[in-house]
Amino acid sequence: MYAKAYKYRWQYLMILPGVVLLFLFHYIPMAGIQVAFRDFQIGTSIWSSPWVGMDNFAFLGEEQFWTVVRNTLYISVLKFVFGFPAPILLALMINEVTHTAFRRFVQSVSYLPHFFSWIVVAYILQAFLTLDGGLVNQAVTTAGAEPIFFLGSTEWFRPVVIASGLWKETGWNTILYLAAITTIDPQLYEAAKVEGAGKLAQIRHITLPGILPTISIVLILSIPSLITVGMDQIYPLMNSANMEVADVLDTYVLRSGLLQGYFGMATAVGLLSSVISLMLVVTTNQLSRRMNGEGLW
């Protein structure tokens, strides 16, 4: 064991800074979890705050909390249903493009939105969807219809969130799948062509099975997002008009913890979300291993 550690000493030295940072910023802060069980106030220390047990979990009996949970699940499930297969389909289509220059152009254009912050995306959406001079509403009124208050409508808020998420992240998420496709042996495609298999048959029997391990890993890592839908996307688009459907767990924690000062309750909500996410990851990993033999561990 010691001989092996000495053999790879330089590799261990290279990863040491990352391990130290992980310990400092992910493990040591876990001591703050006890805020969920204390009456913590700004100006006092965690250790001196009185212990209140499960009192901070009283939100479980509030209707507002369960409304927030429903909003979170509704948006997260829609984002998963549309967002998970989208990069796979895009990667398959890009892989079939034979013109090198056009292929690189499509990849560059699809990657670019990922580098925009959600604040920038929110301004872009407001410029396109606003009632006063928005390009989309100008087209709607030109067609003879009434303008639509997209960002202030409870009916349109969720479609806007899903569509903007697809536009921003689908291209970037294709990188993993395109990399996985390049590892497939080209001789398999040549043999399939000899047997008379068309493009769809090659995708079905060669490409998809070849990237299935990557799909399984990405699926496992995506499951915790069912609890966190992304405050950085939702918060800039949220307002009093769409609050009924826009308020999710992340914004609920932000509002309760920072704006209202209920630090114990906010920590309790975050702790509960983390526990549920852990259970989802473990369960999904076990199902993946039983179905196709691939998992994170």
Side-chain angles (χ1 to χ4, degrees):
M1 176 179 178
Y2 295 105
K4 187 175 182 179
Y6 181 79
K7 178 181 178 181
Y8 297 105
R9 62 189 183 281
W10 298 115
Q11 288 85 342
Y12 291 141
L13 183 62
M14 290 177 63
I15 67 173
L16 181 61
V19 173
V20 172
L21 291 176
L22 182 68
F23 180 75
L24 290 177
F25 293 101
H26 288 80
Y27 284 91
I28 292 181
M30 290 181 67
I33 291 176
Q34 61 181 301
V35 174
F37 306 97
R38 292 179 179 271
D39 183 16
F40 174 74
Q41 300 295 331
I42 291 294
T44 62
S45 69
I46 296 176
W47 310 101
S48 62
S49 300
W51 186 271
V52 295
M54 301 298 291
D55 289 355
N56 289 325
F57 290 84
F59 60 84
L60 293 173
E62 299 177 358
E63 179 62 27
Q64 181 186 5
F65 172 75
W66 293 108
T67 300
V68 169
V69 171
R70 286 193 294 270
N71 291 340
T72 303
L73 292 178
Y74 197 106
I75 294 176
S76 62
V77 169
L78 286 177
K79 291 179 69 174
F80 181 80
V81 169
F82 290 99
F84 183 76
I88 300 175
L89 296 175
L90 181 59
L92 294 176
M93 290 188 290
I94 292 177
N95 184 60
E96 297 300 324
V97 177
T98 56
H99 194 284
T100 304
F102 181 70
R103 176 175 177 169
R104 291 177 178 175
F105 173 76
V106 172
Q107 287 180 287
S108 300
V109 171
S110 62
Y111 295 165
L112 184 61
H114 170 78
F115 298 99
F116 298 158
S117 70
W118 278 113
I119 296 298
V120 174
V121 174
Y123 277 111
I124 293 174
L125 290 174
Q126 290 175 4
F128 274 85
L129 304 179
T130 183
L131 281 173
D132 185 17
L135 295 179
V136 175
N137 273 313
Q138 286 183 5
V140 170
T141 53
T142 301
E146 292 293 327
I148 303 172
F149 189 16
F150 289 98
L151 298 180
S153 170
T154 56
E155 296 178 357
W156 283 99
F157 178 80
R158 289 163 177 165
V160 168
V161 169
I162 304 304
S164 61
L166 289 175
W167 173 75
K168 186 176 185 297
E169 300 296 344
T170 298
W172 181 258
N173 292 335
T174 60
I175 294 177
L176 281 176
Y177 300 113
L178 288 173
I181 290 174
T182 60
T183 63
I184 300 175
D185 190 350
Q187 295 181 0
L188 296 175
Y189 293 103
E190 296 175 2
K193 291 179 182 179
V194 172
E195 294 295 330
K199 288 295 183 181
L200 291 179
Q202 293 175 33
I203 292 174
R204 178 182 177 184
H205 297 288
I206 299 177
T207 308
L208 284 177
I211 64 175
L212 185 59
T214 302
I215 295 176
S216 300
I217 298 301
V218 174
L219 174 63
I220 295 171
L221 295 176
S222 300
I223 290 301
S225 64
L226 294 178
I227 302 299
T228 57
V229 296
M231 182 187 67
D232 50 350
Q233 179 186 10
I234 301 294
Y235 193 72
L237 301 176
M238 189 171 64
N239 52 57
S240 57
N242 58 33
M243 178 73 73
E244 180 182 348
V245 297
D247 196 15
V248 294
L249 280 174
D250 292 333
T251 57
Y252 181 75
V253 170
L254 174 66
R255 190 173 62 257
S256 301
L258 295 182
L259 301 183
Q260 299 179 3
Y262 299 137
F263 301 103
M265 187 187 72
T267 307
V269 175
L271 176 60
L272 182 62
S273 300
S274 299
V275 171
I276 295 175
S277 297
L278 175 63
M279 295 171 60
L280 289 174
V281 169
V282 173
T283 302
T284 307
N285 185 72
Q286 294 301 319
L287 291 176
S288 178
R289 291 186 64 85
R290 291 184 180 181
M291 293 177 63
N292 52 41
E294 297 290 339
L296 288 177
W297 64 86

